[in-house]
């Protein structure tokens, strides 16, 4: 039987697996496509989702975010494959951080998100992280549709 932590990790891994399916469907000529001047480009959205794991790890482990700097700072955009390779160690650290939490932590540890200063129980916060990526997966799907690019079947 799976515990709450393991279910959260499974959910995050399933979301990421489907995101990768979508991202890998993006032809290189559309990396810098965006639907309007205010939107992220397709590859910027991929990086935004991948890069977030680094920040989530700091937040859930209680690290100081006042001088937050991302390892992606100044890094050029090369390819989806390059983004995935670069992000993998940070994803692994994020999942390992979650592995350290007990069921009690998921219910009782309080997390303050620095962007809005709202207090949430850790378990809820982790589920919202999955929701963040899921929203961007839907947005990315709309990008692929607008580009007239075949969308992969992610509902296996």
């Amino acid at each position: 039987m799976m515990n709450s932590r393991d279910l959260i990790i499974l959910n995050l891994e399933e979301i990421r697996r489907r995101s990768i399916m979508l991202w890998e469907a993006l032809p290189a000529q559309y990396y810098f496509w965006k639907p309007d001047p205010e939107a992220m480009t397709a590859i910027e959205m991929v990086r935004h989702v991948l890069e977030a794991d680094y920040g989530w790890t700091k937040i859930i482990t209680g690290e100081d975010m006042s001088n937050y700097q991302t390892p992606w700072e100044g890094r050029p955009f090369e390819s989806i494959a390059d983004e995935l390779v670069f992000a993998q160690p940070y994803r692994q650290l994020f999942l390992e951080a979650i592995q350290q939490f007990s069921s009690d932590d998921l219910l009782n540890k309080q997390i303050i998100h620095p962007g809005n200063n709202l207090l949430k129980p850790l378990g809820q916060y982790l589920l919202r992280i999955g929701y963040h990526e899921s929203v961007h997966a839907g947005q990315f799907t709309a990008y692929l549709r607008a580009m007239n690019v075949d969308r992969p079947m992610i509902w296996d």
Side-chain angles (χ1 to χ4, degrees), residues 26-150:
L26 180 68
Q29 69 262 29
Y30 292 112
Y31 283 174
F32 298 98
W33 183 92
K34 57 184 177 176
D36 62 71
E38 265 81 284
M40 286 185 272
T41 66
I43 199 164
E44 284 172 337
M45 189 187 311
V46 171
R47 180 174 288 182
H48 168 76
V49 170
L50 293 172
E51 187 176 26
D53 287 342
Y54 179 78
W56 304 134
T57 303
K58 291 192 168 300
I59 293 166
I60 66 174
T61 59
E63 291 185 43
D64 181 15
M65 295 290 285
S66 59
N67 294 314
Y68 179 75
Q69 187 171 357
T70 169
W72 282 260
E73 189 74 34
R75 184 174 164 74
F77 291 100
E78 299 291 332
S79 67
I80 299 298
D82 179 67
E83 292 293 318
L84 290 168
V85 168
F86 185 79
Q88 183 53 41
Y90 302 106
R91 179 64 171 187
Q92 191 61 42
L93 289 171
F94 173 58
L95 295 175
E96 287 170 4
I98 297 170
Q99 277 291 345
Q100 304 307 309
F101 295 120
S102 67
S103 293
D104 187 61
D105 291 332
L106 295 174
L107 290 172
N108 298 311
K109 181 179 171 118
Q110 297 293 306
I111 300 295
I112 298 176
H113 184 72
N116 60 23
N117 288 323
L118 295 176
L119 193 65
K120 298 279 183 229
L122 174 62
Q124 285 183 25
Y125 191 79
L126 294 171
L127 291 172
R128 286 170 180 257
I129 289 170
Y131 181 70
H132 171 262
E133 183 166 339
S134 297
V135 166
H136 284 301
Q139 189 179 17
F140 198 87
T141 301
Y143 274 34
L144 293 174
R145 179 184 295 273
M147 294 171 197
N148 201 28
V149 171
D150 289 336

Side-chain angles (χ1 to χ4, degrees), residues 6-23:
D6 294 338
L7 285 170
I8 289 170
I9 290 171
L10 176 63
N11 186 52
L12 292 169
E13 288 177 330
E14 281 297 298
I15 293 167
R16 179 58 52 89
R17 183 176 68 81
R18 288 175 169 88
S19 292
I20 290 170
M21 291 169 67
L22 291 168
W23 300 336

